[in-house]
Amino acid sequence: ALIQFGGQTPLNLAVALEEGGVPTPGISVEAIDRAEERTRFAHMIEELGIPQPRGGIATSLEEALAVADEIGYPVLVRPSFVIGGLAIDFCYGPDDLARQLAMATVITEDRPVRIDAYLEGLEVDVDAITDGTDVLIPGLLEHVERAGVHSGDSTAFFPPQQLSPADKGLIVEAMRRICIEVGVHGLVNAQFIVRDDGVYVLEVNPRASRTVPFLSKVTGVPMVRLATKVAGGASLRELGWQDGLRPPPPLVAVKAPVFSTAKLRGVDPSLGPGMQSTGEVIGLHRDPRVALAKALLAAALRPPLPGPEGACALISVAPRDEARIDELAAALANAGYRFVATPGTAAALRRLGYEVREVALVGDTKSELPCVLDEIAAGGVSFIVNTPMPRSGAVLDAAAVRHAAIAESILCMTTMDTAIAAAHSLEPSAQARIADVRSLEAWRSES
C-alpha cells in the first residue's frame, strides 16, 4: 500500500498495515514516528544542528505553565500528534494558556501537549522527493502571511519574492539533511521560518502535502510519478533527475485558499493555526502583482473594485497592527476607498491624514456613535479588515464583526499581511492585465 498520498489518514493506518503484513513501500512506521511524535522530532532536529523554536512537553496544567514560563510567551500549544491544525492555538499569558487547555485539550501521561515558542517571521513551505541519497526540491513556496497561519489557509508565492539567496541556501541544506535522516523514500514536506536571527524548522510531514499538485503544475516536475517510482526502489538519477533545488521557470504563481463562508454561514473566517480552507486556486503571470490579483479574484478574496463614487472599507485592527496601517490605507485610498473605523484605528488613520467616519465597538453602550455591527448591517461597507487582539480563541468583538460580515456577504480579512496584499492587487496596472491568459505550458516557457 502506498500511504504517502491522501493526507494524514493513510499514515494513521501504517501500524495496522504493518501488523497485517502489508508492505508500505518508501516509508515505515519508524520514519512516521520520528517526524510526527513531537519529542522525537525535536531530538532529531537538535542532533542535526538545525535551529528550531524552543519548546517542551507537558502532561499536566502545572507542567504546561512551567514550560511556557521557561521559554517565554507567546507560545503555540498542540497535542503531540495533530491533524490539520486541530486543537492548536496561541497563548499570550498564563491565564490564556490555562483557558486554552481547559477548552481544547485533555492532558494526561498518555496524551501530552507540546508547547513551543511562537516565532514570528517569514514562512516558507518546501516539498521534496528523496531516494535516500539525493533530494530533489522542485521549488519553494513563500507565504504572504507571517508564521502562525496554517499553510493550507495561506496565500503563497512561487518562486519566493522576499527570500534572500543565503536564506534559500540554508533552507535547501536543512531540508536535504532532514529528508535523509527521516529515512523516507518518496515525498517529504516541511515548513520553515525565516527571521533576522536565522532559519528555523517548524515541522516535517513524511508524505505528500496539499501543495504537491500546485508545484507539479507550475514547475513541470511530475512529483507523484517520481515519488511512486522512488518508493518502488528507483533512484532519482536513474529517472533523469538531479539532487538540489531546481531553477524556477519564467513565471510567478500564486496559491490562494478558497473558503466556504458563502455556503457555510457559521464558519469563522479568522486565519490561524487551524485549517479552514476547502480548496485552492492558482494565479499565473510574469508580474507578481498580476499573478496575485488573478489568484485572489479566483478565490473570491479580492476586495470589490470601487465604482465612480468610490467604496467604503471598515478597518478595525489590534494595536500591534497599527504600525502597518499606513501601507494598507494608502493602497486602499489609491484604489478609491473611503474609511470607517473603530476608535483606536480611526485615531491612527487620522494621524496619517485620512478622513475617517468613526463607529463604536461592540458592546460600548456609553458611546453616542453608531455601533460597528449596525454599520455593517446598513449595507454601506464593501470590505472589512478586522485583526483580533492577541488572545487565544475567538475574541468577542472581533468574532461578532466577522460573523456580521458573513451574514452580509462582505469580504473580511483578519491578517494585515493578507489585507495589504489584497489592497495592492487593486492597482490599476495589475487590473489592466488580469485578462492576460495563456496555457500553462506557455507560461512555463521562455516565449
Side-chain angles (χ1 to χ4, degrees):
L2 287 171
I3 62 171
Q4 286 194 292
F5 309 100
Q8 188 66 32
T9 301
L11 296 190
N12 292 344
L13 298 173
V15 173
L17 289 169
E18 183 181 77
E19 291 175 349
V22 179
T24 55
I27 193 168
S28 64
V29 171
E30 171 66 13
I32 295 170
D33 194 70
R34 294 191 76 193
E36 293 193 341
E37 204 286 311
R38 300 305 303 180
T39 302
R40 292 195 68 188
F41 173 76
H43 288 327
M44 179 185 73
I45 296 302
E46 184 177 2
E47 289 174 358
L48 290 173
I50 298 171
Q52 61 183 315
R54 295 180 63 206
I57 290 288
T59 59
S60 66
L61 174 60
E62 292 72 22
E63 286 185 7
L65 291 169
V67 171
D69 185 61
E70 181 181 350
I71 64 179
Y73 291 94
V75 296
L76 188 63
V77 181
R78 52 185 158 188
S80 190
F81 288 85
V82 298
I83 302 175
L86 183 67
I88 298 177
D89 211 340
F90 299 108
C91 296
Y92 297 87
D95 293 342
D96 207 16
L97 176 58
R99 181 172 50 250
Q100 167 62 14
L101 292 177
M103 288 191 305
T105 309
V106 175
I107 316 175
T108 66
E109 290 287 342
D110 296 328
R111 299 183 65 182
V113 294
R114 175 77 189 183
I115 301 174
D116 292 307
Y118 168 55
L119 301 181
E120 189 169 4
L122 182 69
E123 186 163 349
V124 179
D125 218 305
V126 187
D127 287 299
I129 306 160
T130 177
D131 58 12
T133 300
D134 291 326
V135 178
L136 168 65
I137 301 176
L140 308 178
L141 272 173
E142 178 185 277
H143 292 196
V144 169
E145 297 82 6
R146 300 293 94 179
V149 173
H150 193 284
S151 59
D153 287 357
S154 68
T155 302
F157 276 94
F158 166 81
Q161 301 297 297
Q162 303 179 58
L163 197 61
S164 71
D167 287 334
K168 189 183 301 182
L170 289 173
I171 290 173
V172 170
E173 176 58 24
M175 187 67 177
R176 188 182 191 288
R177 293 162 62 194
I178 289 169
C179 287
I180 300 302
E181 184 67 22
V182 168
V184 170
H185 286 202
L187 283 160
V188 180
N189 167 262
Q191 284 92 47
F192 292 84
I193 295 179
V194 179
R195 294 160 46 92
D196 290 340
D197 60 354
V199 172
Y200 297 77
V201 63
L202 277 181
E203 66 176 15
V204 174
N205 302 300
R207 56 172 171 80
S209 74
R210 68 186 56 80
T211 49
V212 164
F214 173 86
L215 278 174
S216 296
K217 289 181 174 71
V218 301
T219 65
V221 178
M223 298 178 68
V224 172
R225 181 173 65 83
L226 290 178
T228 302
K229 290 184 177 295
V230 165
S235 72
L236 286 167
R237 293 180 186 272
E238 289 172 351
L239 298 170
W241 298 85
Q242 301 298 314
D243 180 82
L245 176 65
R246 285 179 58 80
L251 59 76
V252 176
V254 174
K255 173 191 78 73
V258 176
F259 299 93
S260 292
T261 51
K263 298 178 181 179
L264 305 174
R265 290 305 180 96
V267 175
D268 191 330
S270 180
L271 297 183
M275 185 177 129
Q276 301 192 68
S277 62
T278 53
E280 293 170 335
V281 298
I282 303 175
L284 296 170
H285 205 272
R286 299 284 193 265
D287 186 327
R289 298 170 306 159
V290 182
L292 176 65
K294 284 184 170 187
L296 293 179
L297 178 62
L301 293 175
R302 186 192 68 175
L305 291 171
E309 298 181 358
C312 185
L314 170 62
I315 305 178
S316 179
V317 301
R320 63 178 180 177
D321 292 320
E322 290 179 2
R324 303 184 64 197
I325 204 168
D326 54 344
E327 186 178 358
L328 172 66
L332 288 174
N334 184 58
Y337 272 87
R338 305 181 305 278
F339 301 117
V340 176
T342 50
T345 304
L349 287 167
R350 290 193 185 103
R351 287 194 294 270
L352 293 169
Y354 293 101
E355 293 186 7
V356 188
R357 186 155 50 87
E358 191 169 328
V359 292
L361 294 168
V362 178
D364 186 357
T365 57
K366 297 181 180 180
S367 176
E368 296 181 358
L369 297 169
C371 176
V372 60
L373 300 184
D374 294 333
E375 185 71 25
I376 295 171
V381 174
S382 300
F383 177 47
I384 298 174
V385 179
N386 173 228
T387 66
M389 295 287 285
R391 171 181 164 183
S392 66
V395 179
L396 178 61
D397 238 46
V401 169
R402 294 194 298 269
H403 285 294
I406 293 170
E408 299 297 330
S409 299
I410 302 170
L411 175 62
C412 178
M413 292 187 168
T414 62
T415 73
M416 288 296 281
D417 301 297
T418 316
I420 289 170
H424 282 304
S425 77
L426 297 173
E427 292 179 8
S429 60
Q431 294 302 317
R433 291 183 288 168
I434 207 167
D436 185 2
V437 178
R438 309 177 195 177
S439 69
L440 185 57
E441 291 74 17
W443 283 120
R444 288 203 307 253
S445 71
E446 294 289 346
S447 59

